[in-house]
Amino acid sequence: MKRIILLSLPIALFVVLVVFFYSGLQRDPSVIPSPLIGKPAPAFTLESLADPRAQVGSLDFRGRPYLLNVWATWCGGCYQEHAVLLSIARENRLPLVGLNWRDERGKAQRWLEELGNPYAAVAFDGDGRAAIDWGVYGAPETFLVSAAGVVLHKHIGPMTAEAWQRDFVPRLGQAEP
Amino acid sequence: MIRLLALLLVLSAAAPAAAIDSEPAFDDPVLQQRYERLTQELRCLVCQNQSIADSNATLAADLRREVRRLLAEGRTDDEVRAFVTGRYGDFVLYRPPVTQRTWLLWAAPALLLLVGLGIAAAIVSRRARTATANGIAGGDEDEA
């Protein structure tokens, strides 16, 4: 009897390890949870993409929820998600604020002219400093910010209609003042 | 042969000289040392198996610039680490802090050593008992 217990011990250990590593395989290593969730959204004041003399700041949207979408013309996933952003903008539930990350102004302006502009305003983050404050490590990334200025959710990678319905729409009630 | 080996040795020592960082060094060598140590222990999130000192990704360059700025402002190492983890999470640290989620990771080597010692002690004491029972006190035999 004692022998059986001793012999089954390594097998049990092996099973535990298999379960542990298998569950590890299911996780996407490129999705890193943001420490900003539940914290005040980082403040920024940047030049507007459309007009370098105008400014776009986080305070412009105080008192109402908004989506902050980090994008750039060099980013393939941004091209992929653009149609989804346009349809979210058409729903007219909350403004989309663009953070144009380390891009060229002319290219970014042309992108919006050609593909359509889903944004209420676009801030031009040429040196990537505001993006660091938001913990951005790869475009596209999309944040839901509540009317109280708190980050409620972060979506990493291209926005999809499913992700919008699943992760954002249920939180919109919470985002209202 | 020996010459070839010597050449290889010299070449391998020269590898760190090919730095990614194009910014000028700090005038203060102490500050430069802190800068190098900090950038080596911060992970580049775009290329997850490189530190921001090793990576030529744009984000790594931006983060090096921020570390440089904070050090020049006179911030401490802990303040620089807090700046980065507050934005990117503990994952950026190659040496994660001991927290509720990581204590098992940190304690694992010591725990495994204890388990191993326990198993070894159990085997040794059983062998000793069997040996005594067989009347070979002192245990000269090495059947194992």
Side-chain angles (χ1 to χ4, degrees), chain B residues 20 35-57 59-61 63-64 92-94:
Chain B
I20 293 287
Y35 169 75
E36 284 169 13
R37 209 185 44 235
L38 276 167
T39 51
Q40 270 161 23
E41 65 179 62
L42 293 173
R43 185 195 302 269
C44 169
L45 291 172
V46 184
C47 31
Q48 292 184 3
N49 293 322
Q50 283 184 309
S51 72
I52 62 170
D54 296 331
S55 171
N56 53 6
L59 180 65
L63 281 168
R64 283 198 298 269
V92 294
L93 298 176
Y94 270 120

Side-chain angles (χ1 to χ4, degrees), chain B residues 38-98:
Chain B
L38 276 167
T39 51
Q40 270 161 23
E41 65 179 62
L42 293 173
R43 185 195 302 269
C44 169
L45 291 172
V46 184
C47 31
Q48 292 184 3
N49 293 322
Q50 283 184 309
S51 72
I52 62 170
D54 296 331
S55 171
N56 53 6
T58 319
L59 180 65
D62 286 356
L63 281 168
R64 283 198 298 269
R65 184 192 63 207
E66 292 302 302
V67 170
R68 181 178 291 277
R69 179 177 63 83
L70 291 168
L71 287 176
E73 278 174 13
R75 309 284 192 97
T76 66
D77 291 1
D78 279 341
E79 280 170 338
V80 175
R81 281 190 207 101
F83 174 91
V84 186
T85 54
R87 287 159 175 75
Y88 290 95
D90 285 345
F91 184 66
V92 294
L93 298 176
Y94 270 120
R95 264 187 290 155
V98 183

Side-chain angles (χ1 to χ4, degrees), chain A residues 17 27 124 162:
Chain A
L17 280 180
R27 296 177 52 203
F124 182 70
E162 294 80 51

